[in-house]
Amino acid sequence: MPMRDRVRIEATIRSNFTRAPVLAIGDSITYEAAPGHLCGARVFNAAVPGDRLSDLLAEAPDFAVRLAPERVVIAIGINDSLPPHPDIAQWADDYRTLVALFAGRDLVLVEINPVDPRISSFVTQLDQDFIQRANAVIRDIAAETGAHVVPAPREVITRDGLHPTPAGAALWRARLSEAACSVKVAR
């Protein structure tokens, strides 16, 4: 069984036995870097390596109902930047649909990390313009919904130009914690 399918099945099974108030959904970066706790609360990591936004749209309604999380971390998009990628307007609509599934929850939207051009074969594969436009969409949706936004760093510490080393994962978690655990001012 391919790893991606195994991880998805395991997450579905484990979701039946968790009461974690925080749900993290995303791709391989989230799968590898999501914390066990965020803002003092347990995190259920349902991220699946290789996932795209369309995959989250298929899985998220079930997680929204079954887990009823208080906080949701959405960290997706790098795989969507692989050609052929969706039109950015369609991607934005789909992202809004995903966010709407978790209306009323404390949302944390994570921008797409940059690719490390020094060691990455991914640089030529991924559409950097798409990543920049997708990050603008994420910031816009965060502003519209009052969600926390985790800005992409200028540089990342990776083992292959894309996936974080343990030190890179620690920095990802620190940025996530700083954004998610800050007190938001009511508008």
Side-chain angles (χ1 to χ4, degrees):
M1 172 181 299
M3 178 190 165
R4 186 171 178 215
D5 294 339
R6 181 180 51 78
V7 169
R8 185 177 317 286
I9 290 168
E10 287 174 359
T12 301
I13 291 169
R14 286 184 302 109
S15 72
N16 290 309
F17 304 101
T18 186
R19 293 185 189 268
V22 180
L23 170 65
I25 54 177
D27 49 34
S28 57
I29 295 168
T30 315
Y31 177 77
E32 294 178 17
H37 288 81
L38 183 63
C39 310
R42 245 175 339 129
V43 174
F44 179 75
N45 186 351
V48 177
D51 263 6
R52 293 175 177 247
L53 180 55
S54 59
D55 298 309
L56 288 188
L57 280 173
E59 299 289 326
D62 187 44
F63 285 128
V65 171
R66 186 165 359 113
L67 300 179
E70 297 169 14
R71 174 175 283 150
V72 180
V73 176
I74 300 173
I76 193 73
I78 196 69
N79 296 315
D80 290 300
S81 70
L82 287 164
H85 53 70
D87 171 76
I88 195 67
Q90 182 61 55
W91 194 86
D93 288 345
D94 290 347
Y95 201 98
R96 278 185 177 83
T97 300
L98 178 64
V99 166
L101 290 171
F102 297 103
R105 275 62 176 249
D106 188 25
L107 293 172
V108 183
L109 310 182
V110 182
E111 289 186 6
I112 303 166
N113 275 356
V115 178
D116 185 347
R118 298 168 297 181
I119 60 171
S120 182
S121 62
F122 292 107
V123 170
T124 58
Q125 298 173 21
L126 301 172
D127 184 337
Q128 301 300 311
D129 183 56
F130 180 88
I131 292 171
Q132 289 178 6
R133 290 182 290 144
N135 282 342
V137 166
I138 291 168
R139 287 188 298 275
D140 289 347
I141 293 172
E144 293 166 10
T145 62
H148 301 270
V149 66
V150 180
R154 290 188 185 268
E155 294 182 8
V156 290
I157 303 172
T158 68
R159 65 176 190 272
D160 61 3
L162 183 64
H163 299 95
T165 63
L171 290 173
W172 191 91
R173 287 188 295 272
R175 287 185 5 262
L176 175 64
S177 181
E178 182 179 332
C181 304
S182 66
V183 176
K184 301 244 347 160
V185 177
R187 297 178 191 221

